[in-house]
Amino acid sequence: MPFSLNGRVRTWYRTEPRSGPDSGAASTPLLLAHGFMQSSEDWAEAGYVESLQQYRPLILVDFRGHGKSDKPHDSAEYGMELLVPDLVKVLDQLGEETVDFLGYSFGAWVGFGFARFAPERLRCLALGGMHPYVRDPYPLNRRIERFSSARDAIAAGGRHADLIPDQVKAQFADNDVEALISLTTAIRDSEGFEEALDSLEAPGLVYAGEEDPAYPLARKCVEGHEGLKFVSLPGLGHMEAWESSEVALPHIIRFLEEVT
Protein backbone atom coordinates (compact mmCIF):
# COMPACT_ATOMS: atom_id res chain seq x y z
CA MET A 1 0.00 0.00 0.00
CA PRO A 2 1.36 3.48 -0.81
CA PHE A 3 1.95 5.62 2.26
CA SER A 4 3.95 8.76 2.83
CA LEU A 5 5.34 9.63 6.26
CA ASN A 6 5.20 13.01 8.00
CA GLY A 7 6.80 12.58 11.40
CA ARG A 8 5.03 9.57 12.89
CA VAL A 9 1.83 9.93 10.86
CA ARG A 10 1.28 7.97 7.66
CA THR A 11 -0.87 9.33 4.83
CA TRP A 12 -2.37 6.82 2.42
CA TYR A 13 -2.67 7.75 -1.25
CA ARG A 14 -3.21 6.25 -4.65
CA THR A 15 -2.86 7.48 -8.22
CA GLU A 16 -4.99 7.10 -11.33
CA PRO A 17 -3.50 7.61 -14.81
CA ARG A 18 -4.97 9.97 -17.33
CA SER A 19 -7.41 8.10 -19.58
CA GLY A 20 -8.48 10.66 -22.18
CA PRO A 21 -7.40 11.00 -25.82
CA ASP A 22 -4.11 12.65 -24.78
CA SER A 23 -3.37 10.10 -22.08
CA GLY A 24 0.25 9.79 -23.19
CA ALA A 25 0.98 13.49 -22.88
CA ALA A 26 2.66 14.82 -19.76
CA SER A 27 0.37 16.92 -17.59
CA THR A 28 0.18 18.27 -14.07
CA PRO A 29 -1.70 15.85 -11.78
CA LEU A 30 -4.91 16.81 -10.01
CA LEU A 31 -4.99 16.13 -6.28
CA LEU A 32 -8.46 15.32 -4.92
CA ALA A 33 -9.03 16.39 -1.29
CA HIS A 34 -12.12 14.84 0.32
CA GLY A 35 -14.54 16.15 2.93
CA PHE A 36 -14.97 15.51 6.65
CA MET A 37 -15.83 11.86 7.48
CA GLN A 38 -15.16 10.91 3.87
CA SER A 39 -12.23 9.19 2.18
CA SER A 40 -10.60 9.13 -1.23
CA GLU A 41 -13.09 6.45 -2.29
CA ASP A 42 -15.97 8.92 -2.13
CA TRP A 43 -14.64 10.76 -5.18
CA ALA A 44 -15.07 7.64 -7.28
CA GLU A 45 -18.48 6.79 -5.85
CA ALA A 46 -19.77 10.30 -6.59
CA GLY A 47 -18.65 10.14 -10.23
CA TYR A 48 -15.70 12.53 -10.13
CA VAL A 49 -12.82 10.16 -10.82
CA GLU A 50 -14.11 8.73 -14.09
CA SER A 51 -14.75 12.22 -15.49
CA LEU A 52 -11.68 14.03 -14.20
CA GLN A 53 -9.10 11.42 -15.17
CA GLN A 54 -9.92 12.15 -18.81
CA TYR A 55 -8.23 15.52 -18.28
CA ARG A 56 -5.58 14.90 -15.60
CA PRO A 57 -3.74 12.08 -13.91
CA LEU A 58 -5.17 11.95 -10.39
CA ILE A 59 -3.74 11.76 -6.88
CA LEU A 60 -6.26 10.67 -4.25
CA VAL A 61 -5.39 10.92 -0.56
CA ASP A 62 -6.95 9.99 2.75
CA PHE A 63 -6.40 12.85 5.18
CA ARG A 64 -4.99 11.95 8.58
CA GLY A 65 -7.92 10.92 10.75
CA HIS A 66 -9.69 9.33 7.75
CA GLY A 67 -9.74 6.24 5.60
CA LYS A 68 -6.53 4.20 5.56
CA SER A 69 -4.34 6.99 6.97
CA ASP A 70 -3.25 7.18 10.60
CA LYS A 71 -5.71 8.61 13.12
CA PRO A 72 -4.03 10.38 16.05
CA HIS A 73 -6.25 11.36 18.99
CA ASP A 74 -4.55 14.65 19.92
CA SER A 75 -6.04 17.84 18.45
CA ALA A 76 -2.50 19.25 18.20
CA GLU A 77 -1.89 16.64 15.49
CA TYR A 78 -4.48 18.23 13.19
CA GLY A 79 -3.16 21.75 12.74
CA MET A 80 -2.92 23.04 9.19
CA GLU A 81 0.85 23.23 9.60
CA LEU A 82 0.71 19.40 9.65
CA LEU A 83 -2.17 18.72 7.25
CA VAL A 84 -0.50 20.58 4.39
CA PRO A 85 2.92 18.92 4.84
CA ASP A 86 1.13 15.54 4.75
CA LEU A 87 0.16 16.35 1.17
CA VAL A 88 3.54 17.85 0.30
CA LYS A 89 5.17 14.60 1.43
CA VAL A 90 2.91 12.72 -0.99
CA LEU A 91 3.95 15.03 -3.83
CA ASP A 92 7.63 14.62 -2.92
CA GLN A 93 7.30 10.85 -2.88
CA LEU A 94 5.69 10.94 -6.32
CA GLY A 95 8.30 13.38 -7.64
CA GLU A 96 5.72 16.07 -8.44
CA GLU A 97 6.84 19.67 -8.08
CA THR A 98 3.40 21.21 -8.55
CA VAL A 99 -0.19 20.03 -8.50
CA ASP A 100 -3.65 21.17 -9.46
CA PHE A 101 -5.82 20.98 -6.33
CA LEU A 102 -9.52 20.11 -6.07
CA GLY A 103 -11.06 20.08 -2.61
CA TYR A 104 -14.59 20.08 -1.26
CA SER A 105 -15.78 21.11 2.22
CA PHE A 106 -13.00 20.10 4.64
CA GLY A 107 -10.82 19.35 1.62
CA ALA A 108 -11.37 22.92 0.44
CA TRP A 109 -10.49 24.20 3.93
CA VAL A 110 -7.16 22.38 3.56
CA GLY A 111 -6.86 23.87 0.08
CA PHE A 112 -6.98 27.38 1.53
CA GLY A 113 -4.37 26.25 4.05
CA PHE A 114 -2.27 24.90 1.17
CA ALA A 115 -2.34 28.38 -0.36
CA ARG A 116 -0.96 29.66 2.97
CA PHE A 117 1.72 27.06 3.70
CA ALA A 118 2.81 25.71 0.30
CA PRO A 119 1.71 28.12 -2.46
CA GLU A 120 4.78 27.30 -4.56
CA ARG A 121 3.46 23.74 -5.02
CA LEU A 122 0.14 24.91 -6.50
CA ARG A 123 -0.46 25.44 -10.20
CA CYS A 124 -4.19 26.05 -9.68
CA LEU A 125 -6.90 25.23 -7.17
CA ALA A 126 -10.65 24.63 -7.29
CA LEU A 127 -12.39 24.74 -3.91
CA GLY A 128 -16.04 23.99 -3.19
CA GLY A 129 -18.39 24.47 -0.27
CA MET A 130 -15.97 26.35 1.96
CA HIS A 131 -14.39 29.73 2.74
CA PRO A 132 -10.98 30.68 4.20
CA TYR A 133 -12.19 32.70 7.20
CA VAL A 134 -12.12 31.76 10.88
CA ARG A 135 -14.85 29.21 11.40
CA ASP A 136 -18.02 29.81 13.40
CA PRO A 137 -17.42 27.82 16.61
CA TYR A 138 -21.10 27.10 17.31
CA PRO A 139 -21.72 24.31 14.75
CA LEU A 140 -18.30 22.83 15.47
CA ASN A 141 -19.00 22.73 19.21
CA ARG A 142 -22.35 21.13 18.46
CA ARG A 143 -20.57 18.47 16.39
CA ILE A 144 -18.11 17.78 19.23
CA GLU A 145 -20.97 17.48 21.72
CA ARG A 146 -23.00 15.23 19.41
CA PHE A 147 -20.06 12.93 18.67
CA SER A 148 -19.06 12.75 22.33
CA SER A 149 -22.61 11.95 23.48
CA ALA A 150 -23.08 9.26 20.84
CA ARG A 151 -19.68 7.74 21.63
CA ASP A 152 -20.50 7.57 25.34
CA ALA A 153 -23.97 6.12 24.71
CA ILE A 154 -22.66 3.40 22.41
CA ALA A 155 -19.94 2.54 24.92
CA ALA A 156 -22.52 2.34 27.74
CA GLY A 157 -24.67 -0.06 25.75
CA GLY A 158 -28.20 -1.09 26.76
CA ARG A 159 -30.98 1.44 26.36
CA HIS A 160 -28.46 4.26 25.88
CA ALA A 161 -27.09 2.64 22.74
CA ASP A 162 -30.58 1.76 21.53
CA LEU A 163 -31.39 5.47 21.26
CA ILE A 164 -28.61 6.05 18.72
CA PRO A 165 -29.87 5.77 15.10
CA ASP A 166 -28.45 2.88 13.10
CA GLN A 167 -27.05 5.32 10.53
CA VAL A 168 -24.99 7.06 13.21
CA LYS A 169 -23.75 3.72 14.55
CA ALA A 170 -22.67 2.77 11.04
CA GLN A 171 -20.77 6.05 10.63
CA PHE A 172 -19.00 5.49 13.92
CA ALA A 173 -18.09 1.95 12.90
CA ASP A 174 -16.45 3.28 9.74
CA ASN A 175 -14.55 6.07 11.50
CA ASP A 176 -12.42 6.76 14.55
CA VAL A 177 -14.64 9.09 16.56
CA GLU A 178 -11.82 10.27 18.85
CA ALA A 179 -9.81 11.33 15.81
CA LEU A 180 -12.83 13.18 14.38
CA ILE A 181 -13.42 15.00 17.67
CA SER A 182 -9.75 16.02 17.74
CA LEU A 183 -9.89 17.22 14.14
CA THR A 184 -13.06 19.22 14.78
CA THR A 185 -11.42 20.84 17.80
CA ALA A 186 -8.43 21.83 15.68
CA ILE A 187 -10.69 23.32 12.99
CA ARG A 188 -12.61 25.29 15.63
CA ASP A 189 -9.40 26.72 17.08
CA SER A 190 -7.71 27.43 13.74
CA GLU A 191 -6.78 30.79 12.34
CA GLY A 192 -8.23 31.88 9.01
CA PHE A 193 -6.30 31.74 5.75
CA GLU A 194 -7.84 34.59 3.78
CA GLU A 195 -4.62 36.64 3.80
CA ALA A 196 -2.93 33.93 1.74
CA LEU A 197 -5.19 34.85 -1.17
CA ASP A 198 -3.66 38.33 -1.35
CA SER A 199 -0.32 36.96 -2.56
CA LEU A 200 -1.53 33.79 -4.29
CA GLU A 201 -0.24 33.59 -7.85
CA ALA A 202 -2.06 30.38 -8.81
CA PRO A 203 -5.47 30.88 -10.46
CA GLY A 204 -8.43 29.66 -8.44
CA LEU A 205 -12.07 28.67 -8.71
CA VAL A 206 -14.35 28.84 -5.66
CA TYR A 207 -17.86 27.39 -5.95
CA ALA A 208 -20.77 26.71 -3.62
CA GLY A 209 -24.43 25.83 -3.63
CA GLU A 210 -26.61 28.87 -3.05
CA GLU A 211 -28.35 27.10 -0.13
CA ASP A 212 -25.03 26.23 1.54
CA PRO A 213 -24.41 28.14 4.83
CA ALA A 214 -20.84 28.68 3.58
CA TYR A 215 -22.09 30.39 0.40
CA PRO A 216 -21.90 34.09 1.48
CA LEU A 217 -18.31 33.89 2.73
CA ALA A 218 -17.22 31.63 -0.12
CA ARG A 219 -18.48 34.26 -2.55
CA LYS A 220 -16.91 37.08 -0.55
CA CYS A 221 -13.41 35.60 -0.49
CA VAL A 222 -12.83 36.05 -4.24
CA GLU A 223 -13.61 39.79 -4.15
CA GLY A 224 -10.62 41.92 -5.07
CA HIS A 225 -8.61 38.94 -6.34
CA GLU A 226 -8.20 39.04 -10.10
CA GLY A 227 -6.98 35.45 -10.31
CA LEU A 228 -9.97 34.00 -8.45
CA LYS A 229 -13.48 33.48 -9.75
CA PHE A 230 -16.69 32.31 -8.11
CA VAL A 231 -19.40 30.01 -9.43
CA SER A 232 -22.86 29.71 -7.87
CA LEU A 233 -24.79 26.45 -7.98
CA PRO A 234 -28.46 27.47 -7.73
CA GLY A 235 -30.83 25.57 -5.46
CA LEU A 236 -28.19 23.31 -3.93
CA GLY A 237 -27.18 22.93 -0.29
CA HIS A 238 -23.81 21.83 1.02
CA MET A 239 -24.06 18.09 0.44
CA GLU A 240 -26.26 18.42 -2.65
CA ALA A 241 -23.54 20.46 -4.36
CA TRP A 242 -21.10 17.64 -3.65
CA GLU A 243 -23.42 14.82 -4.64
CA SER A 244 -24.56 16.58 -7.84
CA SER A 245 -21.30 15.95 -9.63
CA GLU A 246 -23.04 16.40 -12.96
CA VAL A 247 -23.69 20.03 -11.97
CA ALA A 248 -20.30 20.86 -10.48
CA LEU A 249 -18.04 19.00 -12.91
CA PRO A 250 -18.64 21.13 -16.03
CA HIS A 251 -17.47 24.22 -14.11
CA ILE A 252 -14.44 22.39 -12.69
CA ILE A 253 -13.44 20.91 -16.05
CA ARG A 254 -13.86 24.24 -17.85
CA PHE A 255 -11.61 25.86 -15.26
CA LEU A 256 -8.95 23.16 -15.63
CA GLU A 257 -9.02 23.51 -19.41
CA GLU A 258 -8.59 27.28 -19.12
CA VAL A 259 -5.54 26.75 -16.92
CA THR A 260 -4.07 24.34 -19.46
Side-chain angles (χ1 to χ4, degrees), residues 61-106:
V61 300
D62 288 346
F63 284 119
R64 60 169 66 195
H66 296 80
K68 300 181 183 72
S69 293
D70 287 343
K71 301 172 179 65
H73 289 178
D74 184 352
S75 62
E77 295 284 347
Y78 291 95
M80 194 64 74
E81 69 278 3
L82 295 172
L83 292 168
V84 171
D86 285 349
L87 303 184
V88 171
K89 292 286 187 179
V90 171
L91 299 186
D92 290 344
Q93 193 155 307
L94 291 171
E96 300 291 350
E97 288 296 321
T98 59
V99 70
D100 295 341
F101 190 107
L102 171 61
Y104 193 82
S105 192
F106 171 66

Short mmCIF file of all heavy atoms in Angstrom, two decimals, residues 61-106:
data_model
loop_
_atom_site.label_atom_id
_atom_site.label_comp_id
_atom_site.label_asym_id
_atom_site.label_seq_id
_atom_site.Cartn_x
_atom_site.Cartn_y
_atom_site.Cartn_z
N VAL A 61 -5.97 11.11 -1.88
CA VAL A 61 -5.39 10.92 -0.56
C VAL A 61 -6.49 10.71 0.47
O VAL A 61 -7.63 11.15 0.29
CB VAL A 61 -4.53 12.13 -0.14
CG1 VAL A 61 -3.38 12.36 -1.12
CG2 VAL A 61 -5.38 13.39 -0.02
N ASP A 62 -6.14 10.02 1.54
CA ASP A 62 -6.95 9.99 2.75
C ASP A 62 -6.28 10.90 3.76
O ASP A 62 -5.13 10.65 4.16
CB ASP A 62 -7.03 8.57 3.33
CG ASP A 62 -7.89 7.63 2.51
OD1 ASP A 62 -8.65 8.12 1.65
OD2 ASP A 62 -7.81 6.42 2.75
N PHE A 63 -6.97 11.98 4.16
CA PHE A 63 -6.40 12.85 5.18
C PHE A 63 -6.14 12.08 6.47
O PHE A 63 -6.82 11.09 6.78
CB PHE A 63 -7.36 14.00 5.50
CG PHE A 63 -7.39 15.07 4.46
CD1 PHE A 63 -8.57 15.37 3.79
CD2 PHE A 63 -6.26 15.80 4.15
CE1 PHE A 63 -8.61 16.37 2.84
CE2 PHE A 63 -6.28 16.80 3.19
CZ PHE A 63 -7.47 17.09 2.53
N ARG A 64 -5.17 12.53 7.25
CA ARG A 64 -4.99 11.95 8.58
C ARG A 64 -6.31 12.04 9.34
O ARG A 64 -7.05 13.02 9.23
CB ARG A 64 -3.86 12.64 9.35
CG ARG A 64 -4.04 14.13 9.59
CD ARG A 64 -3.00 14.66 10.57
NE ARG A 64 -1.63 14.60 10.05
CZ ARG A 64 -0.55 14.73 10.81
NH1 ARG A 64 -0.67 14.92 12.12
NH2 ARG A 64 0.66 14.68 10.27
N GLY A 65 -6.64 11.00 10.07
CA GLY A 65 -7.92 10.92 10.75
C GLY A 65 -9.00 10.27 9.92
O GLY A 65 -10.13 10.09 10.40
N HIS A 66 -8.69 9.87 8.68
CA HIS A 66 -9.69 9.33 7.75
C HIS A 66 -9.14 8.12 7.00
O HIS A 66 -7.93 7.98 6.81
CB HIS A 66 -10.11 10.39 6.73
CG HIS A 66 -10.80 11.58 7.31
ND1 HIS A 66 -10.11 12.61 7.90
CD2 HIS A 66 -12.12 11.91 7.39
CE1 HIS A 66 -10.99 13.51 8.32
NE2 HIS A 66 -12.20 13.12 8.01
N GLY A 67 -10.08 7.31 6.52
CA GLY A 67 -9.74 6.24 5.60
C GLY A 67 -8.63 5.33 6.10
O GLY A 67 -8.64 4.87 7.24
N LYS A 68 -7.63 5.11 5.25
CA LYS A 68 -6.53 4.20 5.56
C LYS A 68 -5.35 4.92 6.20
O LYS A 68 -4.33 4.28 6.52
CB LYS A 68 -6.08 3.47 4.30
CG LYS A 68 -7.16 2.63 3.63
CD LYS A 68 -6.61 1.93 2.40
CE LYS A 68 -7.69 1.15 1.65
NZ LYS A 68 -8.63 2.05 0.96
N SER A 69 -5.43 6.24 6.35
CA SER A 69 -4.34 6.99 6.97
C SER A 69 -4.40 6.86 8.49
O SER A 69 -5.40 6.43 9.07
CB SER A 69 -4.43 8.47 6.57
OG SER A 69 -4.17 8.63 5.19
N ASP A 70 -3.30 7.25 9.15
CA ASP A 70 -3.25 7.18 10.60
C ASP A 70 -4.23 8.16 11.22
O ASP A 70 -4.59 9.19 10.62
CB ASP A 70 -1.84 7.48 11.10
CG ASP A 70 -0.88 6.32 10.81
OD1 ASP A 70 -1.36 5.21 10.52
OD2 ASP A 70 0.34 6.54 10.88
N LYS A 71 -4.64 7.85 12.46
CA LYS A 71 -5.71 8.61 13.12
C LYS A 71 -5.30 8.98 14.54
O LYS A 71 -5.78 8.37 15.52
CB LYS A 71 -7.00 7.79 13.12
CG LYS A 71 -7.48 7.41 11.71
CD LYS A 71 -8.65 6.45 11.76
CE LYS A 71 -9.11 6.11 10.35
NZ LYS A 71 -8.08 5.37 9.59
N PRO A 72 -4.42 9.96 14.69
CA PRO A 72 -4.03 10.38 16.05
C PRO A 72 -5.22 10.96 16.81
O PRO A 72 -6.18 11.45 16.21
CB PRO A 72 -2.94 11.42 15.81
CG PRO A 72 -3.13 11.88 14.40
CD PRO A 72 -3.72 10.72 13.66
N HIS A 73 -5.15 10.92 18.14
CA HIS A 73 -6.25 11.36 18.99
C HIS A 73 -5.99 12.69 19.68
O HIS A 73 -6.77 13.11 20.54
CB HIS A 73 -6.56 10.30 20.05
CG HIS A 73 -7.20 9.08 19.49
ND1 HIS A 73 -7.53 7.98 20.25
CD2 HIS A 73 -7.58 8.77 18.21
CE1 HIS A 73 -8.09 7.06 19.49
NE2 HIS A 73 -8.13 7.51 18.25
N ASP A 74 -4.91 13.37 19.32
CA ASP A 74 -4.55 14.65 19.92
C ASP A 74 -4.89 15.76 18.93
O ASP A 74 -4.43 15.73 17.78
CB ASP A 74 -3.07 14.65 20.26
CG ASP A 74 -2.61 15.92 20.97
OD1 ASP A 74 -3.40 16.88 21.07
OD2 ASP A 74 -1.44 15.95 21.41
N SER A 75 -5.66 16.76 19.37
CA SER A 75 -6.04 17.84 18.45
C SER A 75 -4.83 18.60 17.92
O SER A 75 -4.89 19.19 16.83
CB SER A 75 -7.01 18.80 19.15
OG SER A 75 -6.40 19.43 20.26
N ALA A 76 -3.72 18.58 18.67
CA ALA A 76 -2.50 19.25 18.20
C ALA A 76 -1.93 18.59 16.95
O ALA A 76 -1.12 19.19 16.24
CB ALA A 76 -1.45 19.25 19.31
N GLU A 77 -2.37 17.36 16.67
CA GLU A 77 -1.89 16.64 15.49
C GLU A 77 -2.68 16.98 14.23
O GLU A 77 -2.44 16.38 13.17
CB GLU A 77 -1.97 15.13 15.74
CG GLU A 77 -1.06 14.61 16.84
CD GLU A 77 0.40 14.54 16.39
OE1 GLU A 77 0.65 14.65 15.17
OE2 GLU A 77 1.27 14.39 17.25
N TYR A 78 -3.63 17.91 14.34
CA TYR A 78 -4.48 18.23 13.19
C TYR A 78 -4.39 19.69 12.77
O TYR A 78 -5.27 20.19 12.07
CB TYR A 78 -5.93 17.85 13.50
CG TYR A 78 -6.14 16.36 13.58
CD1 TYR A 78 -6.10 15.69 14.80
CD2 TYR A 78 -6.34 15.61 12.43
CE1 TYR A 78 -6.26 14.32 14.88
CE2 TYR A 78 -6.51 14.23 12.49
CZ TYR A 78 -6.47 13.59 13.73
OH TYR A 78 -6.63 12.23 13.79
N GLY A 79 -3.34 20.38 13.19
CA GLY A 79 -3.16 21.75 12.74
C GLY A 79 -2.84 21.81 11.25
O GLY A 79 -2.30 20.85 10.68
N MET A 80 -3.17 22.92 10.62
CA MET A 80 -2.92 23.04 9.19
C MET A 80 -1.43 22.95 8.86
O MET A 80 -1.06 22.51 7.76
CB MET A 80 -3.49 24.36 8.67
CG MET A 80 -3.59 24.45 7.17
SD MET A 80 -4.76 23.24 6.45
CE MET A 80 -6.33 23.98 6.91
N GLU A 81 -0.59 23.33 9.82
CA GLU A 81 0.85 23.23 9.60
C GLU A 81 1.31 21.78 9.53
O GLU A 81 2.47 21.52 9.19
CB GLU A 81 1.61 23.98 10.70
CG GLU A 81 1.54 23.35 12.08
CD GLU A 81 0.28 23.69 12.84
OE1 GLU A 81 -0.61 24.38 12.27
OE2 GLU A 81 0.17 23.28 14.00
N LEU A 82 0.43 20.83 9.83
CA LEU A 82 0.71 19.40 9.65
C LEU A 82 -0.09 18.80 8.49
O LEU A 82 0.41 17.95 7.76
CB LEU A 82 0.40 18.64 10.94
CG LEU A 82 1.26 18.98 12.14
CD1 LEU A 82 0.75 18.30 13.39
CD2 LEU A 82 2.72 18.60 11.89
N LEU A 83 -1.33 19.25 8.33
CA LEU A 83 -2.17 18.72 7.25
C LEU A 83 -1.58 19.01 5.88
O LEU A 83 -1.59 18.15 4.98
CB LEU A 83 -3.58 19.31 7.36
CG LEU A 83 -4.42 18.87 8.55
CD1 LEU A 83 -5.66 19.74 8.68
CD2 LEU A 83 -4.81 17.40 8.42
N VAL A 84 -1.08 20.23 5.69
CA VAL A 84 -0.50 20.58 4.39
C VAL A 84 0.78 19.80 4.13
O VAL A 84 0.95 19.22 3.04
CB VAL A 84 -0.29 22.10 4.27
CG1 VAL A 84 0.52 22.44 3.02
CG2 VAL A 84 -1.63 22.83 4.23
N PRO A 85 1.72 19.73 5.08
CA PRO A 85 2.92 18.92 4.84
C PRO A 85 2.63 17.44 4.56
O PRO A 85 3.39 16.78 3.85
CB PRO A 85 3.73 19.09 6.12
CG PRO A 85 3.37 20.45 6.60
CD PRO A 85 1.90 20.57 6.29
N ASP A 86 1.52 16.91 5.11
CA ASP A 86 1.13 15.54 4.75
C ASP A 86 1.02 15.41 3.23
O ASP A 86 1.49 14.44 2.64
CB ASP A 86 -0.23 15.18 5.37
CG ASP A 86 -0.15 14.90 6.86
OD1 ASP A 86 0.96 14.78 7.40
OD2 ASP A 86 -1.23 14.80 7.48
N LEU A 87 0.36 16.40 2.61
CA LEU A 87 0.16 16.35 1.17
C LEU A 87 1.45 16.63 0.41
O LEU A 87 1.71 16.03 -0.64
CB LEU A 87 -0.92 17.36 0.76
CG LEU A 87 -2.29 17.20 1.44
CD1 LEU A 87 -3.28 18.20 0.88
CD2 LEU A 87 -2.82 15.78 1.29
N VAL A 88 2.25 17.55 0.94
CA VAL A 88 3.54 17.85 0.30
C VAL A 88 4.43 16.61 0.29
O VAL A 88 5.13 16.33 -0.69
CB VAL A 88 4.22 19.02 1.01
CG1 VAL A 88 5.66 19.21 0.51
CG2 VAL A 88 3.43 20.31 0.79
N LYS A 89 4.39 15.84 1.38
CA LYS A 89 5.17 14.60 1.43
C LYS A 89 4.73 13.63 0.34
O LYS A 89 5.55 12.92 -0.26
CB LYS A 89 5.03 13.94 2.80
CG LYS A 89 5.67 14.71 3.94
CD LYS A 89 7.19 14.60 3.90
CE LYS A 89 7.81 15.22 5.14
NZ LYS A 89 9.29 15.11 5.13
N VAL A 90 3.41 13.57 0.09
CA VAL A 90 2.91 12.72 -0.99
C VAL A 90 3.48 13.19 -2.33
O VAL A 90 3.95 12.38 -3.14
CB VAL A 90 1.37 12.72 -1.02
CG1 VAL A 90 0.84 12.03 -2.27
CG2 VAL A 90 0.81 12.06 0.23
N LEU A 91 3.42 14.50 -2.57
CA LEU A 91 3.95 15.03 -3.83
C LEU A 91 5.44 14.74 -3.97
O LEU A 91 5.91 14.36 -5.05
CB LEU A 91 3.71 16.54 -3.91
CG LEU A 91 2.26 17.01 -3.89
CD1 LEU A 91 2.20 18.52 -4.13
CD2 LEU A 91 1.41 16.29 -4.91
N ASP A 92 6.19 14.91 -2.87
CA ASP A 92 7.63 14.62 -2.92
C ASP A 92 7.88 13.16 -3.25
O ASP A 92 8.78 12.83 -4.04
CB ASP A 92 8.27 14.97 -1.57
CG ASP A 92 8.33 16.48 -1.32
OD1 ASP A 92 8.16 17.25 -2.29
OD2 ASP A 92 8.54 16.86 -0.16
N GLN A 93 7.11 12.27 -2.64
CA GLN A 93 7.30 10.85 -2.88
C GLN A 93 6.99 10.47 -4.32
O GLN A 93 7.61 9.56 -4.88
CB GLN A 93 6.41 10.05 -1.92
CG GLN A 93 6.75 8.57 -1.84
CD GLN A 93 6.32 7.96 -0.52
OE1 GLN A 93 6.66 8.44 0.54
NE2 GLN A 93 5.53 6.89 -0.60
N LEU A 94 6.05 11.19 -4.92
CA LEU A 94 5.69 10.94 -6.32
C LEU A 94 6.58 11.70 -7.30
O LEU A 94 6.47 11.51 -8.51
CB LEU A 94 4.23 11.33 -6.56
CG LEU A 94 3.18 10.44 -5.89
CD1 LEU A 94 1.79 11.07 -6.03
CD2 LEU A 94 3.18 9.04 -6.49
N GLY A 95 7.43 12.58 -6.78
CA GLY A 95 8.30 13.38 -7.64
C GLY A 95 7.58 14.48 -8.38
O GLY A 95 8.01 14.88 -9.47
N GLU A 96 6.51 15.01 -7.80
CA GLU A 96 5.72 16.07 -8.44
C GLU A 96 6.05 17.41 -7.79
O GLU A 96 5.86 17.61 -6.60
CB GLU A 96 4.22 15.78 -8.31
CG GLU A 96 3.76 14.49 -8.94
CD GLU A 96 3.84 14.52 -10.47
OE1 GLU A 96 4.07 15.60 -11.04
OE2 GLU A 96 3.66 13.45 -11.07
N GLU A 97 6.51 18.34 -8.60
CA GLU A 97 6.84 19.67 -8.08
C GLU A 97 5.60 20.50 -7.80
O GLU A 97 5.53 21.22 -6.80
CB GLU A 97 7.75 20.41 -9.07
CG GLU A 97 9.16 19.87 -9.13
CD GLU A 97 9.90 20.05 -7.81
OE1 GLU A 97 9.72 21.10 -7.16
OE2 GLU A 97 10.63 19.12 -7.43
N THR A 98 4.63 20.43 -8.71
CA THR A 98 3.40 21.21 -8.55
C THR A 98 2.19 20.31 -8.80
O THR A 98 2.31 19.22 -9.38
CB THR A 98 3.35 22.40 -9.53
OG1 THR A 98 3.42 21.92 -10.87
CG2 THR A 98 4.47 23.38 -9.26
N VAL A 99 1.03 20.81 -8.37
CA VAL A 99 -0.19 20.03 -8.50
C VAL A 99 -1.35 20.98 -8.73
O VAL A 99 -1.32 22.15 -8.30
CB VAL A 99 -0.40 19.19 -7.21
CG1 VAL A 99 -0.77 20.07 -6.04
CG2 VAL A 99 -1.44 18.10 -7.42
N ASP A 100 -2.35 20.50 -9.44
CA ASP A 100 -3.65 21.17 -9.46
C ASP A 100 -4.46 20.57 -8.31
O ASP A 100 -4.41 19.36 -8.08
CB ASP A 100 -4.37 20.93 -10.79
CG ASP A 100 -3.63 21.56 -11.97
OD1 ASP A 100 -2.81 22.46 -11.73
OD2 ASP A 100 -3.87 21.13 -13.10
N PHE A 101 -5.20 21.39 -7.59
CA PHE A 101 -5.82 20.98 -6.33
C PHE A 101 -7.32 21.14 -6.42
O PHE A 101 -7.82 22.22 -6.74
CB PHE A 101 -5.28 21.85 -5.19
CG PHE A 101 -5.64 21.41 -3.80
CD1 PHE A 101 -4.69 20.83 -2.98
CD2 PHE A 101 -6.93 21.57 -3.30
CE1 PHE A 101 -5.02 20.43 -1.68
CE2 PHE A 101 -7.27 21.17 -2.02
CZ PHE A 101 -6.30 20.60 -1.21
N LEU A 102 -8.06 20.06 -6.15
CA LEU A 102 -9.52 20.11 -6.07
C LEU A 102 -9.94 19.62 -4.69
O LEU A 102 -9.65 18.48 -4.32
CB LEU A 102 -10.16 19.24 -7.16
CG LEU A 102 -11.68 19.05 -7.05
CD1 LEU A 102 -12.42 20.38 -7.15
CD2 LEU A 102 -12.18 18.07 -8.11
N GLY A 103 -10.61 20.47 -3.93
CA GLY A 103 -11.06 20.08 -2.61
C GLY A 103 -12.49 20.51 -2.37
O GLY A 103 -12.93 21.55 -2.89
N TYR A 104 -13.22 19.71 -1.61
CA TYR A 104 -14.59 20.08 -1.26
C TYR A 104 -14.76 20.03 0.25
O TYR A 104 -14.28 19.11 0.91
CB TYR A 104 -15.61 19.16 -1.93
CG TYR A 104 -17.01 19.72 -1.80
CD1 TYR A 104 -17.45 20.71 -2.69
CD2 TYR A 104 -17.86 19.35 -0.77
CE1 TYR A 104 -18.69 21.29 -2.55
CE2 TYR A 104 -19.11 19.93 -0.63
CZ TYR A 104 -19.52 20.90 -1.51
OH TYR A 104 -20.76 21.49 -1.37
N SER A 105 -15.47 21.02 0.80
CA SER A 105 -15.78 21.11 2.22
C SER A 105 -14.49 21.12 3.03
O SER A 105 -13.67 22.02 2.87
CB SER A 105 -16.72 19.96 2.61
OG SER A 105 -17.26 20.16 3.89
N PHE A 106 -14.25 20.12 3.89
CA PHE A 106 -13.00 20.10 4.64
C PHE A 106 -11.80 20.08 3.71
O PHE A 106 -10.77 20.70 3.98
CB PHE A 106 -12.97 18.89 5.58
CG PHE A 106 -11.64 18.68 6.24
CD1 PHE A 106 -11.15 19.60 7.14
CD2 PHE A 106 -10.89 17.55 5.94
CE1 PHE A 106 -9.90 19.41 7.74
CE2 PHE A 106 -9.66 17.35 6.55
CZ PHE A 106 -9.16 18.28 7.45
#
